[in-house]
Amino acid sequence: SGAWFSYNGEKIGQGRERVLEYLKRNRDKDLTAKEIAVALNLESRQIDGLFTSAFVRKGLGVRVPDGTKKYLKLTPEGLSYKP
């Protein structure tokens, strides 16, 4: 499950699954919440909240600090997770 995101009244997908698949496809890239949000046409605060609640708290993801940026990465459990 997960929050459905809507645009102009049309459901465009469940956030957790969209972010999960995007991070799996881009596992070799360093991506911030803002970069993920732009790619998925969402707001970065939505990505931050979703990542914390659906990934970090469940051991499926981590935030990797690098200077002033924090990259969102899936753990091995996150990479193998199937919703």
Side-chain angles (χ1 to χ4, degrees):
S1 73
W4 279 90
F5 292 99
S6 299
Y7 180 74
N8 289 336
E10 178 185 349
K11 287 184 180 179
I12 57 174
Q14 285 189 287
R16 183 179 69 183
E17 284 80 9
R18 289 181 68 204
V19 172
L20 178 66
E21 289 307 313
Y22 187 78
L23 286 170
K24 283 182 177 182
R25 285 192 316 268
N26 293 284
R27 70 184 74 180
D28 296 329
K29 295 181 182 176
D30 291 330
L31 298 167
T32 64
K34 184 177 181 177
E35 292 166 329
I36 296 167
V38 168
L40 299 178
N41 199 27
L42 300 169
E43 294 183 29
S44 60
R45 64 184 168 87
Q46 291 174 311
I47 300 298
D48 270 329
L50 181 71
F51 194 78
T52 298
S53 65
F55 298 98
V56 174
R57 290 185 183 156
K58 296 177 182 174
L60 302 176
V62 294
R63 285 188 170 82
V64 179
D66 183 14
T68 59
K69 294 183 178 184
K70 290 184 181 173
Y71 298 114
L72 310 184
K73 295 284 191 180
L74 294 176
T75 62
E77 294 81 9
L79 288 169
S80 63
Y81 181 75
K82 296 190 185 344

